[in-house]
Amino acid sequence: MRKKITIIEDDKSIAKMYQFKLENEGFDIEVAHSGPAGLHLVRNTRPNLILLDLRLPHMNGDEVLHHIRQHEWGKAIKVMIMANVSRVHAPKRLETLEFDKYLIKAHHTPGQVAEIINDLLSQPSASHSSYYSK
């Protein structure tokens, strides 16, 4: 069975690049370009993993993650934050939220991101980390 990934990214060219790469890797991909649209999509599709940008229109990525983690169905979804800000400049709320990986987009190729995703999806669901542990 193919794994489902939701990409929540406001930059349409970046979202399309990851969508193309990940579909070629055999994943089913859904894309949203704003926080509310991403939250709605995740709620309806229950993906195996979310690629989550932090700076989104109408609702930032940390707010999206907060809403997802409040629900029982959202606690098992793996989340990889993809941002162009270092953790030092990331929203303070991330200190209290669980996610699986934090990547700076500019430092990773789509191929490297696909490798990281394959590694994350091969790990047990209870592998969430806090802001400080990865």
Side-chain angles (χ1 to χ4, degrees), residues 30-31 41 52 61 73 75 113:
E30 297 281 344
V31 178
L41 188 59
L52 180 62
W73 55 261
K75 292 179 180 169
V113 170

Side-chain angles (χ1 to χ4, degrees), residues 16-125:
K16 190 174 282 283
M17 175 184 66
Y18 285 117
Q19 180 178 10
F20 179 77
K21 177 62 177 169
L22 296 172
E23 284 176 344
N24 283 334
E25 294 284 324
F27 295 106
D28 287 333
I29 306 298
E30 297 281 344
V31 178
H33 299 294
S34 72
L39 186 58
H40 178 76
L41 188 59
V42 167
R43 189 178 290 133
N44 290 327
T45 63
R46 310 281 168 93
N48 301 98
L49 183 132
I50 301 166
L51 290 184
L52 180 62
D53 188 12
L54 287 178
R55 295 191 176 157
L56 296 165
H58 311 297
M59 179 189 295
N60 284 328
D62 59 311
E63 295 174 84
V64 172
L65 182 56
H66 173 76
H67 286 293
I68 290 167
R69 294 296 191 226
Q70 285 184 324
H71 301 280
E72 198 59 40
W73 55 261
K75 292 179 180 169
I77 298 173
K78 293 180 183 280
V79 175
M80 186 161 77
I81 295 173
M82 301 275 296
N84 271 328
V85 295
S86 70
R87 286 191 184 194
V88 174
H89 296 101
K92 290 291 181 205
R93 179 185 265 182
L94 283 182
E95 295 175 9
T96 62
L97 297 172
E98 293 183 345
F99 53 89
D100 298 276
K101 195 74 170 171
Y102 188 106
L103 295 181
I104 296 176
K105 288 183 256 189
H107 296 174
H108 296 84
T109 67
Q112 290 169 324
V113 170
E115 288 177 25
I116 293 166
I117 288 170
N118 279 313
D119 183 51
L120 280 176
L121 290 175
S122 69
Q123 296 173 8
S125 290

